[in-house]
Amino acid sequence: MAASSPNLHALIIGIDDYSFPRTGFWPLKSAVADANNFRDWVVNELGVSPSRIRNLRNEGATRQAIIKGLQDLATKATIKQGDPILIYYAGHGSEASAPAEWHWDSPKIQMIIPWDHKPADVHGIPDRTLGQLLTDIADKKGDNITVVFDSCHSGSGTRSGDGDSRTRGGYYTGEIPAGLDKDLFSNSGTRGARVAARFRHHGLRSHVLLAACAQDEEAKEENTSGDFTRVLLKALTGVPTTEITYEDLMQRMEKLTKQTPQCEGFFRSRILFNKRVPNTKAIYDVVLGAGRVTIGAGAIHGVELETKFGLWKSRADIQSKPYATLTVNSSSTIRAYETDIPTSAVAGPMVAQMLGNPKSRLPIYVPPNIKDLDCYKTVFSTEGGRVLPPVTVVDKEALATIGLKYFEGNDPAIGFEMLNPQEAKQKIRHVVGPTADELQQAMSHLAAYYHHKDRKNPNPPIITDNSGRNGELFSSKFTLDVFILENKEGNTSKKMLVPKGPSKNIDGSGVKITVCEETRQDNYGFCIKNHTDIDVFPYLFYFDSSNFSISLISQPEVVGQSDEKHIAPLKKKSSLTIGYGSSVVTGTAQNLYIWDEANFEMGYFRLYLSTKYVDLSFMVQKEISESTRGSRPAPVSSDPSPFWDSITVPVVLERGPWVAPKHMIGIIGSKWNRKHTFLAELSKSLDQSQAPALEPFFQNAYVKEYSITVPGCQTFSLVELPGFEDPGKVDNHIAALRATLSYLTKEYQEGRRFISFIWCYNISTYLSEVDSLNLKLVVDLCGEEMFKNIVVLTTNWNKVAMVKLKGPTSRGSVVGAVPSLEKYENSEQQMMEDPRVWKPLKDGDARFERFGVFRDSANRKRNPATAGVKDPLDLLKSMLNNAPGALQAQKEASTTRIVTETTVGKTLSTRIEEKIKKKADDIQKLEKELKTMNEDHKYWADVQREKKDAAEDIVRWKQMLKEIGRVNSVFM
């Protein structure tokens, strides 16, 4: 054991118990478990006293308690300058619009969500507040602060949260007040507009941040753990904390397919905890022999070639510098539980501690009944010239990727069990015999499978713009689409394979396939899109987790005998198809099937991208129960070039019935155009028909979806999409459009189609700028092919029928009604004849319908202007016979994945560019005005502030344009 407990102080927070009605966030399943596991690691591996750890769980993790816990770290007398401080949080994260008064560097601000969060009362804790609290800690206690956040900040929503996987994030429905936490800044010595640097900001000097995912990604959790915490603890276990940097730790972590953990901060290349926390690794006895030492640690403990040991005279000396160091070399003998190392430089009694291994290895859990087998003891020994398997045996299932199982009986065998929570439903249908050779081969096979599946470029290339700034990951500039293929006759009357429907991997999160009689014969093709200015060589593999095989789907054809003669088939700014079309790469359409006795299987498409031709065929290996090629180490010369990267696409095959996609009706309208009145009346109609009242089965901050079942009619969904409101709030328009495109594209991928699209317009008002923006939004979303399914719903016609048309006249009755009737009908007619937008809609067979709320239905029927007004439910029923189709925006977004390459995105970006130009003109006018003033002029400060705000708007809007111009910008 270590001589003394390290003076590390920790605040560890975990929240599962979110109540959706109260907080607006779904409950989580494993954030508390993650916090407990992280606490156990701090206590057991680092030897930290529990008295130095403050634990906040569920109802104990209120907003006030979290802030108080952070404040106490800055004031606690037992924490000395430079002592390591560790802050861990597992729970929901979100984002909201930053108040303009904060002059934030982005229109959005991220936050963590406390247990007692209430949208209109108790707010999240934003980055701005966290940044100030961490700055206060650093000012008083030093910058040896490590922050670990297993949450996401993208504000992404989930459909239900009832499945095995959940997202630790959600949409923030409240509005952040400008004065939030202002008391925390009152003593900071700075004005409110110039407070501490942003919490999640590269280059921070107050702390190092380990975050679960990138800012636009989702942090996932399974039933037992968060994905990030799981791989982080696996990477930390057994690691010498005084010898590894934060950046090294990130490289040791197992790769996650749906999120990219981040390491941020000025000191990210620093040794963990600034070398002040040696972990309490096992101490082994040393036996001295003639010209050698025998250390009581062997292959089962992770010993391999190049493992380094430190030797001390006694256990009490462990904290000091080692008396000597020894490295396991080719002359050493490694056995299962001990290692002989030749040396003559050591004398006297000794103890040893493992200082480090050359690389991380596949963690495997082996139960005691297999450890007792002779084959196991033989495999973990170098006696007789045997090579150790490239794995690390761990004692806990939670720290392993895969486990072994022993099947007794007349024909005993060793099987395999998936321990990664993401693959826990995967059953392995292969076993190996309990012999040393078969076990050795199986271990090597597994190690090769996971090595190639998870390996990544330790220095991923960055693509920059012409200025050399604004870098993006090379891999982020490529997309891999997966299509179901169908036979169609070509120009030569010969049948050819072509894509059927949208990509199954539209948002890059993976491919999900329901396997049934209708889909079992489906063939799949691929399309790789290159958004860079570089020609590349693509290599596509399939990794099958049901049998640990690796299959080569496609690679470039060899066309020459030297590097100069190889021609990159994937050209810059172009695409390449595999399995269909005319391709210059080898590859055929693929059939994804499922084992007859299985209901669930998982696999991975893995795309390698290299700027030079290499031979990657050595990666191919058969099923684990067969003789494999994957058991030998990969040739160094066959690695991709230094300028390479990879993309991983998970594949889930699940047996189940085929379900026809539900049809959808969309509805858009600004808050003054009576859209919500229409929905309220629809809810009343549903009550009268004894159908369920109108309650959304899916909603986030922008989109609500209602499932409507009416007796005698098909079930359909009514989708309430966000319209534009204030024409000056560009930030909100971008957020609304991205949310709309993200939702529409994902639903398109699921095969769902629109049978109608409603735009609401208040006939009693003049066509405003907001109305025009929303009308153009609907037109751009739908496209000309869907004009026939658009319904222009003019509302507020009940105003015409508010007065009786017969009986005694009085001032303001019939006399007032006639002008209103003429006005509304004239307005409607002028709309239909307007050549800009309305007439094209009418010519495209769009329907014009009227809506109003009438207390007396007889009054509605007597008035010729309102006699044709339909009940909301009847109106929707009349749309059910429309032919379903895809919106223009769905097809464009799923193809390009870029907001600004869709018609609706181009319209918005043009409007933003016009606003930027206007702001620039305003600045010039303000500068001229300032030249006519002295600084003591009573309006000088106001003009100066207006100029500054305009300049900040330009910077922010330009950044937004860049963000929506990136690949995958259509997804939130």
Side-chain angles (χ1 to χ4, degrees):
M1 293 293 294
S4 61
S5 173
N7 198 36
L8 180 146
H9 293 259
L11 173 64
I12 300 179
I13 305 163
I15 309 173
D16 283 335
D17 188 19
Y18 294 95
S19 168
F20 185 80
R22 172 175 58 85
T23 67
F25 291 85
W26 295 106
L28 296 173
K29 293 184 178 180
S30 56
V32 169
D34 280 346
N36 292 339
N37 289 335
F38 205 83
R39 174 205 59 203
D40 292 346
W41 175 78
V42 172
V43 172
N44 297 330
E45 284 233 12
L46 300 184
V48 175
S49 169
S51 64
R52 292 180 178 147
I53 302 172
R54 174 175 286 187
N55 292 288
L56 301 177
R57 304 288 188 273
N58 286 333
E59 65 272 14
T62 63
R63 190 178 201 276
Q64 183 179 357
I66 294 173
I67 291 177
K68 180 68 164 54
L70 291 167
Q71 290 175 320
D72 288 349
L73 292 174
T75 59
K76 197 171 183 179
T78 55
I79 304 178
K80 307 301 181 185
Q81 182 77 17
D83 280 349
I85 294 172
L86 176 61
I87 300 163
Y88 175 88
Y89 172 81
H92 274 305
S94 190
E95 69 176 5
S97 297
E101 295 87 341
W102 287 6
H103 298 276
W104 204 237
D105 62 354
S106 167
K108 296 291 185 180
I109 190 164
Q110 286 73 45
M111 67 189 72
I112 61 174
I113 305 300
W115 174 83
D116 57 341
H117 171 262
K118 294 180 182 177
D121 187 14
V122 181
H123 295 281
I125 305 176
D127 285 352
R128 180 177 186 259
T129 298
L130 293 170
Q132 182 63 51
L133 291 168
L134 288 169
T135 298
D136 290 344
I137 298 171
D139 287 345
K140 296 179 176 67
K141 304 299 182 181
D143 55 27
N144 192 4
I145 305 171
T146 304
V147 181
V148 181
F149 271 20
D150 195 345
S151 63
C152 64
H153 293 252
S154 65
S156 299
T158 58
R159 274 201 172 273
S160 65
D162 293 329
D164 293 334
S165 178
R166 296 191 177 196
T167 297
R168 289 183 176 176
Y171 286 101
Y172 197 82
T173 56
E175 185 171 328
I176 301 297
L180 183 66
D181 300 324
K182 63 181 180 181
D183 55 312
L184 299 178
F185 302 96
S186 59
N187 298 319
S188 64
T190 60
R191 295 173 57 194
R194 301 174 57 218
V195 295
R198 187 176 180 181
F199 172 60
R200 289 175 60 87
H201 192 280
H202 296 279
L204 280 182
R205 292 176 178 268
S206 64
H207 63 279
V208 174
L209 171 67
L210 302 180
C213 58
Q215 195 164 330
D216 58 349
E217 294 179 334
E218 298 177 348
K220 296 290 187 179
E221 69 162 29
E222 309 299 327
N223 285 331
T224 57
S225 68
D227 292 352
F228 171 61
T229 296
R230 175 176 53 82
V231 298
L232 176 62
L233 286 177
K234 285 171 67 174
L236 283 168
T237 300
V239 169
T241 53
T242 56
E243 296 184 14
I244 186 172
T245 69
Y246 292 96
E247 289 178 330
D248 293 337
L249 178 63
M250 300 301 286
Q251 294 302 320
R252 288 181 61 91
M253 285 169 53
E254 173 187 331
K255 185 173 181 181
L256 298 172
T257 57
K258 296 183 180 180
Q259 61 194 80
T260 310
Q262 306 288 297
C263 177
E264 303 178 11
F266 184 80
F267 297 111
R268 59 187 180 272
S269 58
R270 174 191 278 176
I271 297 292
L272 297 187
F273 311 118
N274 208 12
K275 292 190 80 169
R276 294 209 179 189
V277 186
N279 50 342
T280 56
K281 294 176 295 179
I283 300 171
Y284 307 105
D285 292 327
V286 176
V287 178
L288 303 181
R292 64 180 174 81
V293 299
T294 300
I295 299 174
I300 289 175
H301 303 93
V303 177
E304 58 181 301
L305 288 177
E306 305 302 325
T307 296
K308 184 185 291 186
F309 286 96
L311 275 64
W312 289 265
K313 292 288 187 180
S314 68
R315 292 173 180 262
D317 297 330
I318 289 290
Q319 291 279 29
S320 60
K321 185 178 180 181
Y323 170 79
T325 58
L326 295 176
T327 301
V328 179
N329 54 38
S330 57
S331 300
S332 305
T333 300
I334 305 172
R335 290 182 286 275
Y337 297 97
E338 61 185 20
T339 302
D340 292 340
I341 304 176
T343 182
S344 57
V346 179
M350 288 281 169
V351 294
Q353 194 174 66
M354 198 183 303
L355 298 181
N357 277 329
K359 60 184 178 181
S360 59
R361 308 182 119 198
L362 176 67
I364 291 182
Y365 171 74
V366 181
N369 58 353
I370 293 182
K371 286 184 177 180
D372 291 337
L373 298 177
D374 289 339
C375 65
Y376 179 78
K377 296 174 183 177
T378 301
V379 165
F380 283 93
S381 171
T382 59
E383 292 181 312
R386 182 178 289 277
V387 177
L388 292 174
V391 300
T392 297
V393 177
V394 296
D395 295 329
K396 295 182 179 180
E397 291 187 355
L399 299 177
T401 298
I402 194 165
L404 303 186
K405 297 172 65 176
Y406 186 60
F407 298 97
E408 299 183 15
N410 296 330
D411 188 16
I414 295 175
F416 310 93
E417 180 181 17
M418 290 295 201
L419 298 178
N420 183 332
Q422 293 176 324
E423 300 176 311
K425 293 168 67 176
Q426 173 73 71
K427 305 303 180 186
I428 311 303
R429 63 180 189 264
H430 294 265
V431 295
V432 297
T435 68
D437 287 344
E438 288 196 52
L439 181 59
Q440 174 100 29
Q441 188 178 51
M443 294 280 198
S444 297
H445 192 108
L446 290 171
Y449 179 86
Y450 282 100
H451 169 71
H452 292 308
K453 182 178 79 70
D454 297 331
R455 71 172 169 145
K456 53 187 176 182
N457 192 335
N459 299 298
I462 303 294
I463 301 293
T464 59
D465 57 24
N466 294 332
S467 67
R469 301 188 300 272
N470 302 320
E472 296 179 66
L473 284 173
F474 181 60
S475 61
S476 71
K477 308 291 285 184
F478 294 83
T479 57
L480 176 62
D481 285 314
V482 182
F483 296 100
I484 298 175
L485 301 180
E486 64 178 346
N487 277 305
K488 278 197 173 180
E489 289 190 359
N491 295 332
T492 61
S493 297
K494 181 181 178 182
K495 286 190 175 182
M496 58 186 296
L497 289 173
V498 297
K500 173 187 176 182
S503 169
K504 304 293 286 184
N505 183 43
I506 286 181
D507 63 353
S509 64
V511 175
K512 294 183 180 180
I513 298 171
T514 299
V515 178
C516 56
E517 285 301 317
E518 290 85 355
T519 63
R520 65 181 303 168
Q521 299 300 324
D522 285 346
N523 289 315
Y524 294 84
F526 310 87
C527 181
I528 309 169
K529 293 180 182 176
N530 179 359
H531 295 269
T532 73
D533 291 317
I534 303 170
D535 297 345
V536 298
F537 294 87
Y539 306 79
L540 184 60
F541 292 84
Y542 183 67
F543 289 72
D544 189 338
S545 289
S546 71
N547 56 33
F548 307 109
S549 63
I550 304 175
S551 305
L552 178 60
I553 296 176
S554 173
Q555 67 175 345
E557 291 184 346
V558 179
V559 295
Q561 295 180 327
S562 64
D563 288 345
E564 292 77 13
K565 297 297 183 181
H566 297 313
I567 300 173
L570 183 51
K571 303 300 182 184
K572 61 183 180 182
K573 302 290 186 184
S574 68
S575 61
L576 187 67
T577 62
I578 299 170
Y580 68 97
S582 176
S583 177
V584 291
V585 296
T586 58
T588 58
Q590 301 291 303
N591 176 252
L592 299 174
Y593 62 92
I594 194 170
W595 179 34
D596 287 341
E597 297 180 23
N599 292 319
F600 178 94
E601 285 193 6
M602 248 191 119
Y604 303 87
F605 292 120
R606 190 151 169 81
L607 175 66
Y608 288 87
L609 302 157
S610 175
T611 55
K612 65 174 288 187
Y613 177 82
V614 290
D615 182 6
L616 298 183
S617 60
F618 68 87
M619 291 169 50
V620 173
Q621 61 183 35
K622 299 178 182 178
E623 299 175 348
I624 193 168
S625 57
E626 301 181 27
S627 177
T628 71
R629 297 173 57 195
S631 59
R632 64 181 186 276
V636 175
S637 60
S638 294
D639 279 342
S641 64
F643 202 81
W644 71 278
D645 216 332
S646 58
I647 297 172
T648 301
V649 177
V651 179
V652 174
L653 302 163
E654 195 154 15
R655 198 178 300 281
W658 183 81
V659 179
K662 289 193 302 183
H663 294 154
M664 299 187 291
I665 296 174
I667 184 168
I668 281 181
S670 65
K671 59 185 177 182
W672 306 115
N673 280 334
R674 302 295 191 269
K675 175 184 69 175
H676 291 105
T677 305
F678 177 83
L679 294 175
E681 290 300 301
L682 174 62
S683 185
K684 293 177 183 177
S685 299
L686 289 169
D687 272 341
Q688 292 172 4
S689 69
Q690 297 183 338
L694 200 61
E695 291 289 340
F697 74 89
F698 166 75
Q699 71 178 95
N700 56 39
Y702 299 96
V703 179
K704 291 182 181 179
E705 185 172 346
Y706 310 90
S707 180
I708 299 179
T709 302
V710 181
C713 298
Q714 62 174 310
T715 297
F716 62 95
S717 287
L718 181 65
V719 183
E720 183 183 355
L721 294 168
F724 297 145
E725 297 295 345
D726 186 338
K729 291 189 175 181
V730 175
D731 305 7
N732 294 347
H733 293 188
I734 291 176
L737 180 58
R738 289 189 67 187
T740 298
L741 289 176
S742 180
Y743 170 83
L744 292 177
T745 308
K746 290 176 182 177
E747 299 309 310
Y748 179 60
Q749 181 183 16
E750 297 296 323
R752 306 181 71 199
R753 299 294 182 265
F754 282 85
I755 52 177
S756 193
F757 207 101
I758 303 170
W759 178 66
C760 300
Y761 170 64
N762 188 342
I763 194 66
S764 67
T765 63
Y766 291 103
L767 189 71
S768 67
E769 182 181 356
V770 170
D771 295 327
S772 298
L773 291 176
N774 283 317
L775 177 59
K776 186 70 168 78
L777 172 65
V778 171
V779 168
D780 287 347
L781 286 174
C782 293
E784 289 187 15
E785 290 183 8
M786 286 292 287
F787 279 4
K788 61 183 180 297
N789 286 11
I790 292 178
V791 173
V792 176
L793 185 66
T794 51
T795 66
N796 222 21
W797 283 91
N798 47 294
K799 274 198 168 185
V800 176
M802 288 172 65
V803 190
K804 294 181 179 179
L805 294 180
K806 293 183 178 180
T809 62
S810 60
R811 184 177 179 181
S813 58
V814 176
V815 175
V818 173
S820 294
L821 173 59
E822 292 177 354
K823 173 187 172 184
Y824 292 177
E825 290 183 328
N826 289 340
S827 177
E828 185 181 51
Q829 189 61 37
Q830 288 172 6
M831 288 190 322
M832 294 181 184
E833 301 303 325
D834 189 326
R836 292 170 299 177
V837 177
W838 297 92
K839 192 172 186 299
L841 278 178
K842 183 182 178 185
D843 293 344
D845 292 330
R847 287 169 55 187
F848 285 74
E849 296 283 356
R850 298 174 180 179
F851 167 72
V853 179
F854 301 89
R855 295 179 181 176
D856 182 358
S857 60
N859 195 17
R860 180 193 72 186
K861 294 176 181 177
R862 283 197 301 269
N863 193 316
T866 59
V869 171
K870 293 185 177 73
D871 175 86
L873 188 56
D874 291 335
L875 178 62
L876 295 181
K877 286 181 183 178
S878 71
M879 303 174 188
L880 297 181
N881 292 326
N882 293 346
L887 303 184
Q888 172 178 266
Q890 289 181 298
K891 293 185 283 188
E892 291 175 339
S894 65
T895 303
T896 68
R897 291 184 169 90
I898 301 172
V899 172
T900 54
E901 291 190 14
T902 64
T903 301
V904 67
K906 290 175 182 176
T907 298
L908 181 60
S909 60
T910 298
R911 188 153 52 86
I912 296 173
E913 288 167 354
E914 290 171 352
K915 285 188 172 292
I916 290 174
K917 184 178 182 303
K918 185 178 183 306
K919 285 287 183 181
D921 293 340
D922 290 344
I923 289 174
Q924 288 184 351
K925 294 175 183 177
L926 292 170
E927 287 175 343
K928 290 180 181 179
E929 188 175 352
L930 285 170
K931 288 179 181 179
T932 66
M933 299 179 181
N934 295 322
E935 289 191 20
D936 57 354
H937 192 284
K938 65 177 182 178
Y939 295 124
W940 187 87
D942 292 337
V943 176
Q944 196 70 291
R945 188 180 304 109
E946 188 178 349
K947 175 189 169 186
K948 180 183 177 184
D949 290 346
E952 289 176 351
D953 285 342
I954 290 176
V955 171
R956 191 173 69 255
W957 292 344
K958 284 184 176 179
Q959 178 62 27
M960 290 178 179
L961 280 176
K962 182 186 173 186
E963 288 177 1
I964 63 176
R966 288 177 174 165
V967 179
N968 290 327
S969 58
V970 297
F971 303 109
M972 294 188 70

